[in-house]
Amino acid sequence: VIRPADVTILDANAAWLRANPGHLVLIEGHCDNRGAANRKNERNMDLGERRGQAAMNHLIAQGVHPSRITILSYGEERPQCTEESERCWTQNRRSRFLVKPR
């Protein structure tokens, strides 16, 4: 599920991509480091994948061709913040966009 505050950012990204059809986008899905120890990495990789997929689906709905979008999950492997707090965990639950020319 895309947070309502993030829809504006995704819409701006989609508008930029529509205006710049010669660029590709990689969406990295990230999550926090919490979860059951026995399957934590598998679950976090899945969460990162679903986060990237949700962002990709939104871009496609806004008119960006799917062939221009790649998603990659890093799960918990590349945290933006390393503190053990809700504020930090929230920062780690994100999609990161990288753009490059074709």
Side-chain angles (χ1 to χ4, degrees):
V1 175
I2 297 172
R3 295 177 284 213
D6 294 335
V7 170
T8 303
I9 295 167
L10 286 172
D11 287 346
N13 288 347
W16 189 91
L17 287 165
R18 286 191 313 268
N20 295 276
H23 286 76
L24 303 173
V25 64
L26 169 66
I27 303 173
E28 296 177 347
H30 298 268
C31 65
D32 61 43
N33 65 349
R34 297 179 294 171
N38 60 341
R39 298 190 65 191
K40 183 171 78 165
N41 191 46
E42 181 181 326
R43 175 167 160 67
N44 286 343
M45 291 297 287
D46 182 57
L47 287 171
E49 178 82 14
R50 286 190 285 161
R51 186 164 282 119
Q53 186 70 48
M56 181 176 108
N57 291 342
H58 188 86
L59 294 180
I60 292 169
Q62 296 298 313
V64 179
H65 197 276
S67 67
R68 297 176 57 202
I69 306 168
T70 302
I71 57 174
L72 177 65
S73 175
Y74 283 110
E76 66 182 81
E77 301 303 317
R78 295 185 177 192
Q80 186 170 319
C81 181
T82 57
E83 297 170 18
E84 295 290 322
S85 67
E86 186 57 46
R87 180 193 62 79
C88 186
W89 293 322
T90 299
Q91 290 178 33
N92 290 335
R93 294 186 300 262
R94 70 194 188 284
S95 290
R96 180 175 174 225
F97 285 61
L98 300 166
V99 179
K100 73 172 191 172
R102 286 187 196 217

